[in-house]
Each structure stands twice: as C-alpha cells, then as structure tokens.
Amino acid sequence: MLLELAQWLSKDYRFFTVFNYITLRAVLATLTALLIGLLAGPWLIRKLAQLKIGQAVRTDGPQTHLTKSGTPTMGGALILIGIGAATVLWADLANRFVWAVLIVTLGFGAIGWIDDYRKVVHKNPKGMSARDKFFWQSLIGGIAAVYLAFAVPAASNDEAIQLVIGWFASGFEMSLPPRADLIVPFFKTVSYPLGVFGFIGLTYLVIVGTSNAVNLTDGADGLAILPSVLVGGALGIFAYVAGNAVFSKYLLIPYVPGAGELVVFCGAIAGAGLAFLWFNAYPAQVFMGDVGALALGGALGTVAVIVRQEIVLFIMGGVFVAETVSVMMQVAWFKYTKKRYGVGRRIFRMAPLHHHFEVGGVKESQVVVRFWIVTMMLVLFGLSSLKLR
C-alpha cells in the first residue's frame, strides 16, 4: 500500500525511490509490527480479561501450570494483527507469494481462533475436535500446496497457468522445472526432482506439520514465540537470496522470482513476535493460544516451501521437531505397551518434551531459555548452509 504511494511520489520527489529497496521495507515492517504490538498489547490484554477469556489449563499437565488458569489467552490475535497490518502497509501487494503466505497464515489463524473460542466458552481444554481441526488444516494446506506446485517453478501467475495446462496435456506426466526440486543443504549439486504430486505431498506435510509442531511447542511462557521469530528471520534471509538472481546464482540457491518480497513478511513476523514476547515472557500476562501458534507454523512452513528450504526449516526448527517427535513416541509407545502388556507405559515423564523436563524438576523459565539457546544454535547452523556447500 505505502509502496505504491511512494512509487507515485517518486515521480516528483526522488527521495521516495528509497522505498523500492526490499531491505528498507523489511526493517520498516518489523518496526511497524513491533510498534502495533507494544501499543495494542495492554489494551488487548485488558479486553480479554474483561471478557473473561482465560486459559483453561489441562488437569493432566504439570501441577505448576495450574496457577496459570484464568490468564488471558487468544493473544495470538495480536500477532496476526501486527503481521497483517505491517505486510499490507510495506509489501508489494502485486506479489503473488505475499498473498499466498498471508492467506495461509490467516486461514490457520481462523482455525485456531475457533479452537480457542470453544475452549474458552465451553471451558473445554481440548477445544475443537482433532478430526475437525485436521480437516480444515488439510483443506487450507492442500489448496496452498497445489497452488505453490505451479507458482514456485513459474516466474508469474500466467506462466503458472501454462504449467497447469501443460501438465494436464501431458497426461499428468510432465516434470517441473529444476527450481522445484528438493534441495539438500550443504551439498552443491544434490537435489531430488519431486514431480507435481511429490511437490504437493511434501508441501502439504511441511505446512500442516509445521503448524502443528509450533502448536505443540506452545506450552510454556515464551517457549514458542522466540523460536518462531528466529526461524522466521532466518527464512527472510533465504527469501532475499532466493529472490535475487545474482546472489542465488553465486550461492547456488534456486532463483525464485518474487520470493524476495517475503523478506517484508518475515520482518513482520519478527516484529509482531517480539512485541508479543514482551507480554508473554515469564510470568506470562497473556497466552498465544492456537490462533497464534497454528498461524505462525503455517506461515513458516509456507515461506520455507517457496524459498525451497524445507530441510533447512527442519534443522532450524529442531525444537519444534523434538517436541512433535516426543509426543508421537509417547503416544505410540503407550498404545503399544497397553495392547501388549495390558498397562500403558511411557518413555518421557510427560509429553511434549518441555513438560518432561518440568516434571523432572527443571524450572519452567530455565527450560524456555535453554530451548531458546538451542534454537539460536540450530538457526546459525541452518544459515551456514548458504555458504558451506
């Protein structure tokens, strides 16, 4: 929005040409989202408290979390407002990828909003049924996957339409251009052609999987938000490289026309996330809720697919992965042992993984900070793949 205004003013005032630089607009988006969050945060927290939109704490969770019952939740709406406003103000709204990530983010946020609303109104910690939640996540993730399967390899939407037509005309046997291959980090020439169905399947898993992984991680004050900010900021760097023909060629990264504009979106994630952390740091004044966690995960997964860094996302989001795997292992082992021995057994004291350490006597704030440190190390390791090949 403001970019179009600046471009119009630049015809008479050369100063406004500076807003054509993506890096400047990314910084401004970060500051805008941060300012919106810091200014609107206190009002939103008071409003949530007045409406008695408080967290319903699981009775089977750590006993130390029972004191958090009644803390305002659905604060993730603050993150979505910051991201949405900053992106619309500073991004190029003619860019197809900007709208793709915005729609996915807001779509997953809507699912989380409904889930949180049911938790608050019906006082049910489980909220929306797992089946309903998975259905809507799959619907949005599937539509996004189909669109990106043809949008990412193409330089424009018109070219994407031609790819679709060619795919149908070939009897669904046409291969996608090399930029749609699965890139293996730290290797110069190792990549795997996915094909249309392979790309759609992988994209679906990345978007839906990352969304649920961030949601599972959101179980302690500040635990999910800072890793989301760190990973989002790192993906912004990859987006800048992927969207620049010179840098992508030099660093052997697939050139994806238009991907550079996602730097603005990633900057908005960073600003909105830091503003939320101001109020979510231990002891939290407000909780993110599914409205924020599902949306952030969906956003990170979508950006990673567009910039062709799915494996790097897996590395940088190692904390999210560990939390998810711990739940899967716990559930699978419990069901297996119950079926075989008649009594379910557990691998961890409690899942997700952060609860395992809390039940073991580690303070919540210590668990959170240590998970932050691990994420910082993993993000740096993931960024090193830009040069180490």
Side-chain angles (χ1 to χ4, degrees):
M1 183 182 296
L2 293 181
L3 174 61
E4 294 180 358
L5 177 61
Q7 289 174 338
W8 179 73
L9 292 173
S10 66
K11 297 177 182 177
D12 299 313
Y13 305 97
R14 288 180 56 85
F15 166 77
F16 289 98
T17 58
V18 72
F19 290 99
N20 288 323
Y21 291 100
I22 293 176
T23 49
L24 174 62
R25 289 186 284 112
V27 171
L28 293 174
T30 303
L31 295 176
T32 300
L34 179 64
L35 186 61
I36 290 174
L38 292 177
L39 293 179
W43 174 84
L44 180 64
I45 293 172
R46 288 196 301 270
K47 196 68 176 178
L48 291 173
Q50 291 172 3
L51 296 174
K52 296 182 179 180
I53 301 179
Q55 178 72 17
V57 179
R58 292 170 47 189
T59 56
D60 57 344
Q63 295 301 302
T64 55
H65 285 213
L66 295 178
T67 57
K68 299 182 180 185
S69 181
T71 301
T73 188
M74 299 179 73
L78 183 66
I79 300 174
L80 295 185
I81 292 171
I83 292 175
T87 301
V88 169
L89 285 174
W90 296 111
D92 180 3
L93 299 183
N95 185 283
R96 56 210 170 107
F97 293 132
V98 168
W99 286 110
V101 294
L102 272 178
I103 291 172
V104 171
T105 302
L106 296 178
F108 276 86
I111 297 172
W113 177 275
I114 296 172
D115 187 32
D116 287 335
Y117 181 81
R118 292 184 180 180
K119 290 177 183 177
V120 172
V121 173
H122 301 290
K123 304 300 179 182
N124 179 7
K126 295 184 179 180
M128 184 186 294
S129 69
R131 178 179 297 180
D132 289 346
K133 187 186 295 186
F134 182 70
F135 169 79
W136 290 109
Q137 286 179 310
S138 297
L139 180 63
I140 296 173
I143 293 174
V146 172
Y147 171 73
L148 293 178
F150 299 100
V152 170
S156 64
N157 280 333
D158 290 338
E159 188 175 327
I161 293 174
Q162 294 302 316
L163 280 176
V164 174
I165 295 174
W167 183 57
F168 277 104
S170 68
F172 309 108
E173 294 181 355
M174 184 189 74
S175 60
L176 293 174
R179 71 164 63 105
D181 293 352
L182 176 63
I183 305 301
V184 179
F186 302 107
F187 293 92
K188 289 184 179 181
T189 58
V190 179
S191 62
Y192 295 97
L194 294 171
V196 175
F197 291 113
F199 190 102
I200 292 173
L202 178 64
T203 300
Y204 166 81
L205 291 175
V206 170
I207 294 176
V208 176
T210 307
S211 177
N212 285 311
V214 175
N215 193 33
L216 287 172
T217 306
D218 183 35
D221 298 352
L223 179 57
I225 188 60
L226 188 59
S228 297
V229 168
L230 294 172
V231 174
L235 286 175
I237 296 174
F238 281 102
Y240 184 77
V241 173
N244 187 294
V246 176
F247 290 162
S248 60
K249 182 179 180 180
Y250 173 70
L251 295 172
L252 302 177
I253 298 292
Y255 173 54
V256 183
E261 200 65 29
L262 294 180
V263 180
V264 179
F265 178 80
C266 291
I269 289 179
L274 290 175
F276 181 77
L277 181 60
W278 185 273
F279 306 104
N280 185 237
Y282 182 86
Q285 298 173 255
V286 64
F287 295 140
M288 184 189 304
D290 286 9
V291 61
L294 292 179
L296 283 173
L300 296 178
T302 306
V303 174
V305 168
I306 294 172
V307 301
R308 312 308 305 127
Q309 297 298 329
E310 297 93 340
I311 296 178
V312 171
L313 173 64
F314 184 86
I315 295 171
M316 297 192 301
V319 165
F320 302 141
V321 175
E323 295 275 45
T324 305
V325 171
S326 68
V327 173
M328 295 171 64
M329 291 174 61
Q330 186 87 321
V331 172
W333 184 248
F334 185 87
K335 289 183 177 180
Y336 171 75
T337 53
K338 186 174 183 179
K339 182 178 181 180
R340 179 160 186 173
Y341 304 109
V343 179
R345 301 176 183 176
R346 294 174 172 82
I347 299 174
F348 304 98
R349 301 184 186 96
M350 186 176 290
L353 188 60
H354 60 271
H355 287 332
H356 168 79
F357 293 109
E358 287 183 80
V359 174
V362 183
K363 293 182 179 179
E364 178 182 348
S365 56
Q366 289 179 311
V367 174
V368 170
V369 172
R370 289 170 182 173
F371 275 40
W372 287 353
I373 294 172
V374 170
T375 300
M376 291 177 192
M377 296 170 60
L378 293 174
V379 166
L380 291 174
F381 182 64
L383 286 173
S384 70
S385 68
L386 280 168
K387 190 62 178 175
L388 299 179
R389 291 176 178 272

